[in-house]
Amino acid sequence: MITIETIINAPIDQVWKAFNSPEDIVKWNQASDDWHCPKAENDLQVGGKLNSTMAAKDGSFQFEFEAKYDEIIPNKFIRYYIADGRKVEINFHEENNLTKITEKFEPESQNPTEMQTQGWQAILNSFKNYVESKS
């Protein structure tokens, strides 16, 4: 499992909503400024699906992300399985109006672990910046 994390200067309710609302996901779900997320759908319940599209702004490349929820504890924990079978676990912990997010995910075998770590961390950093800019 690869682990990434961040601490967001915002209360847990705000962080949870922004993390799971499709209207918010399309605003933060990218690893760099030359990418964007033109589409997101989220059925946040056990058995529900998360779908999003991440695309290069120049139109040169895009990919679909699909996952199915296995466990949800509101404001605390999410576990889902990506369409390729890899497990992802996300922990949310609030302390003193700060929210720590810890994500653990199984790496895929096509790209180096370091590249995957950097990519997922960049998306989580984008989320942090988005939430804190709204506060």
Side-chain angles (χ1 to χ4, degrees), residues 10-80:
I12 189 75
D13 289 340
Q14 182 181 347
V15 170
W16 182 265
K17 180 187 175 300
F19 197 86
N20 292 299
S21 162
E23 296 79 21
D24 290 308
I25 293 169
V26 296
K27 296 176 182 165
W28 62 260
N29 188 32
Q30 65 272 333
S32 65
D33 290 340
D34 52 344
W35 284 74
H36 69 136
C37 179
K39 180 183 76 122
E41 298 172 354
N42 194 15
D43 181 15
L44 186 64
Q45 63 178 333
V46 172
K49 288 189 177 179
L50 167 64
N51 293 291
S52 65
T53 301
M54 197 179 296
K57 288 182 179 176
D58 68 6
S60 63
F61 188 78
Q62 77 173 36
F63 65 91
E64 304 298 321
F65 180 89
E66 181 181 309
K68 186 174 181 181
Y69 291 108
D70 184 57
E71 184 177 352
I72 299 166
I73 303 170
N75 289 352
K76 295 203 180 297
F77 181 76
I78 295 172
R79 182 174 56 225
Y80 59 72

Side-chain angles (χ1 to χ4, degrees), residues 27 38 41 67 78 87 97 106 109 133:
K27 296 176 182 165
E41 298 172 354
I78 295 172
K87 179 173 60 175
N97 245 17
E106 294 177 335
S109 57
S133 73

